[in-house]
Structures are given as structure tokens and as C-alpha cells.
Amino acid sequence: MRENKAVLKVTGLRKCYGDLVAVDHLNLEVMKGEIFGLLGHNGAGKSTTIECILGTKKMDEGKVSLLGMEPHKDRKKLFERVGVQFQQSYYQDKIKVKEICELTASFYSKSQDYKVLLEEFELSDKQKNFVSELSGGERQKLSVLLAVLPNPEIIFLDELTTGLDPKARRDMWKYIENLRSKGVTLFLTSHYMDEVEYLCDRICILKRGSIIVQGTPQDVIKGCEAGSLEDAYLFYTEKEAM
Amino acid sequence: MKSLKILFKTEVILAIRSIDAIFFGVVFPVGLMFLLGFIYKDKPAGDGAAYTMLQLSFAGVAAVGICATGLMGVPISLADYRHKKILKRFQVTPTSPMKLLLAQGFTQFLISVVSSSLVFLAAKLAFGYKLMGSGIKFILVYLLVLITLYSMGMLIASVAPNIKTANLLCTLVYFPMLFLSGATIPYEIMPRGLQIAADVFPLTQGIKLLKGVSLGMPEENFLFQFVLMAMISVICIVISIKCFKWE
């Protein structure tokens, strides 16, 4: 299923907040149909990287090519084909589940039937509830649902399963694998190494805005002779730069 | 176009659900109109005046809706949407965050128009109010005052760094204007000193303009207010566009 075609190409991305360098000359490529995981501690620059890729933050240096387009230039065309779930999604006060689905669907020239998706995500009985009444897990599922609504070719999921219980997490994994089998590319961040090891085809670990290692989860584990991805992750993120 | 329509519909539903916009923008001024009607009945405004106290007060009460939506509704919802990163979420869809702002603006405008229309109907049907000046001119001046107040609201939303400051600024601007500009308490019964202080508020000048037109006074008397409103609008709009931040 996977082809050797880069759907996302980032070169020399650099972003500073005042004196703080949040992302430093980052290069990465994501191939069509793969699940790519961007890892790192809180504050390592994951969200900033995603936001620069999507064009919601202006980068200081570098180039981003997403589905062959430049995000801030071709915004309208590009985001018909890109789904995004931000870390912590907020919605308008007093909006109901059904209303946010309808509203989001109206932004796209074509989108999936949200009722079918609500069924798949086991949220059908919450349609008439206010979003603010949902549990953390339900809200998380809703934000993923809204990201996949336009049938995107690439989906960005920032902290995909945070707040989900073990069963809901497994369901989400299955859903993500199913998307991959349909040829959808996924770019995700996560703090759960079991999830990353299970789902991701390739990963990249960030530390203070720079990539310290990238490759398949197996390569990363082998590279430092660790027993699991969690050990390897800790090895790389705690290793002081010499 | 499809998304703008659904956005507008959703924003109107949300505004109705949130109650405060409806209370401060509609229920309060209509209630006030009834109160003033019962108090004044058909009392003339001063000895031998050509118009009644009710006719004198109408324009001010009709402007309460503009004041509530322009100085509370517009800035607080904008600051809230920015605070909640809803504008940012719109940026990663094919629609534009500008559309959300537009839909929000329409919603506030609708509340304001409904408010003033109900105030008019209450005054007319319950107390026999009659607009002495030209209706068209009144509507045009009403729109000018509305643009001025909304541009001030946009300015507050643009310069406030966060939702807390926006709330504070709105309270500081809204309540003094509501009570001292002649919208609720008639300007004419205020002591001279207070009148001079109240003259500082743009809404005071706006209400003088509305009053003048509603009483059919010669327009050239209100040239100053007219030019002032237009100038405030232009200045506020330019500054808000320059300072506006999406997040």
C-alpha cells in the first residue's frame, strides 16, 4: 500500500519565541500512507512544528511542502484535503454535538456523513448533548471525528489518545490502522510509547527543537540496544548533548 | 456561502441560548420602555414643549440594544473565540475565520435591530408613540451610531491581550455609557455638571443625534455629532484592523 512518495516535506524549519529557539533546523519527510510519529517531552517543540507545518504559526526559516502545496499560500485548496486535530480543542459555548458536526461539515465542498461517523465513534446517543457535557474521552473522540470528517488524505493528530480509557484507546488504534489501510497518511504525536510502537511506521524524537533520532521504531530500539521503545525514548531524551 | 449561512444560524442559536445577550440587549430595553411609558404617560417635555417626555426618551432606549451588542456582545465574543482558539481551528479548514467574525457581527446586528424594533412597537402600541422626524433618516442615523459603537467594540477586542482584560474594558466602557449617555436615564434630567461629563461619551453624542432626528429637528443642528460619529468609526476600524490578532 505504501508508495515512495513524500506527502510532507519539511526543510530547515526554524522557529524562535524571542530568545528561545523552539524548533531548530528541522528536516523531515512523511511518505504517503504511513503513520508518522513525532515524539518528545512537553516543550520539545512538537506542537510548534505541527503549527508551522499547517501555517497557523509563521516560521522564521525553512520550507514546508504539504501535498505539494505551501500551507499559508494555498490554504483553501489544501485544507479540503488535510484533517487536523489540535491538542485541546475548544468549541463555542453551548454548542451541541450535532451542531458542531453540521457546522464543520459545511466548511468543506464534500465531506462524510457525520451521522455514520458518530455511530463508528460510539457517540450517536450524544448528538443532542452540549459538547461541554461530554467526558474527556468523548470530547477527544469528537475532535478526531471532526478531523476525519472531510475524508482527508493526510491527518494531523496532536496527542491522539490523551484522556481515553484503555478500551477507547484500542478502538482508536483500530480506527487509525483502518485509515492507513485506505491509504491515508497520519502524522501524530503521543506520549504513550506502547501506542507509538504499535501504530507508527516511522518515528522521530525531538529534543529542545532538534531531531535526535529518526527511523522505524525497531531501528530506534536497536540503535541504543534498549529493550523497548520506552527505554529507547528515555535513553535518547535524557542523554545530554556532549 | 453555505458555510456562512450555517455559521450565522448557529451563532444566532448560541446567542439565544446564552441568555445574557437577550436579557441585556432585548428584555432590558423593552422593559425600560414600558417603565418610562407608565411613568411619563403623555406628559409634555417641559412647559409648552411640542413633544412629550416619551418622545424625548425613545431614541435613547432604542439605542440600548446597540450599546449592549456593540460594547459587550461584539468584543466579548471575539475575545472569547480567540481565547478558545476557535479562530485558529478555522484557519486549518477551507473556510476563513473572517466568516466567523462576519456571522458573529450579523448576529449582534440582528439582536440590536430586534431590540430597537420591539422598543418601538412597545412605545407605539402601548403608549401611542409617534416618530416626529423622518423614519428613513432615523434608520440611517441608527446605522451610523451602530457602526460607531461596533467599531469601538472591535477596538476593545483588538487591543485587549486576553479575555480578562476584554471583560474589564467592556465593563468600564459599557456601564457608564449605559447609564450616563441618556440611553436609560434621560440626559435632560441630569444636572448640568453631569451632562458636561456625559458629553465625553461617544454614545451621548450618538443619542443626541438620534433624538434630534426622531423629534424632526433641523439636521444642521447635529452636524457636529454626525461628523464625530463618522470620525470615531474610521479611527476605531483602522486601529482594530492594524492591531487585530488571530490568537
Side-chain angles (χ1 to χ4, degrees), chain A residues 43-201:
Chain A
K46 292 176 309 234
S47 293
T48 303
T49 303
I50 292 190
E51 290 210 30
C52 287
I53 291 173
L54 298 175
T56 51
K57 279 209 166 92
K58 234 179 135 181
M59 53 194 159
D60 298 326
E61 279 172 47
K63 244 193 94 179
V64 170
S65 164
L66 182 55
L67 300 175
M69 293 183 254
E70 278 182 60
H72 56 278
K73 270 196 202 154
D74 308 303
R75 209 179 62 79
K76 284 193 183 204
K77 233 169 84 194
L78 180 64
F79 286 107
E80 289 279 356
R81 297 161 60 193
V82 177
V84 180
Q85 175 238 333
F86 280 126
Q87 205 183 99
Q88 286 175 325
S89 306
Y90 294 103
Y91 307 97
Q92 287 98 315
D93 266 343
K94 311 247 167 156
I95 196 159
K96 292 182 179 175
V97 172
K98 192 174 145 95
E99 290 164 348
I100 189 78
C101 289
E102 248 171 30
L103 185 62
T104 308
S106 79
F107 298 161
Y108 301 94
S109 55
K110 54 181 191 304
S111 69
Q112 304 190 59
D113 184 354
Y114 69 85
K115 288 195 177 115
V116 177
L117 284 174
L118 283 171
E119 200 78 49
E120 271 184 66
F121 283 92
E122 291 171 18
L123 288 170
S124 288
D125 54 332
K126 303 282 178 194
Q127 272 190 67
K128 294 206 167 81
N129 286 59
F130 289 115
V131 175
S132 54
E133 295 169 344
L134 299 182
S135 71
E138 287 164 345
R139 211 187 279 214
Q140 188 72 4
K141 283 200 278 185
L142 177 66
S143 72
V144 175
L145 183 154
L146 294 176
V148 302
L149 196 58
N151 244 331
E153 291 164 47
I154 178 165
I155 306 175
F156 290 81
L157 301 164
D158 201 356
E159 299 204 355
L160 159 75
T161 58
T162 303
L164 296 184
D165 61 38
K167 162 147 194 325
R169 263 179 84 203
R170 292 289 166 150
D171 291 346
M172 192 61 85
W173 292 6
K174 248 185 243 152
Y175 190 77
I176 298 293
E177 284 186 294
N178 187 25
L179 284 174
R180 171 174 53 190
S181 72
K182 288 180 189 156
V184 178
T185 311
L186 290 126
F187 186 112
L188 55 90
T189 76
S190 171
H191 286 300
Y192 302 111
M193 291 306 137
D194 55 338
E195 171 169 304
V196 171
E197 198 171 345
Y198 181 82
L199 283 176
C200 293
D201 299 303

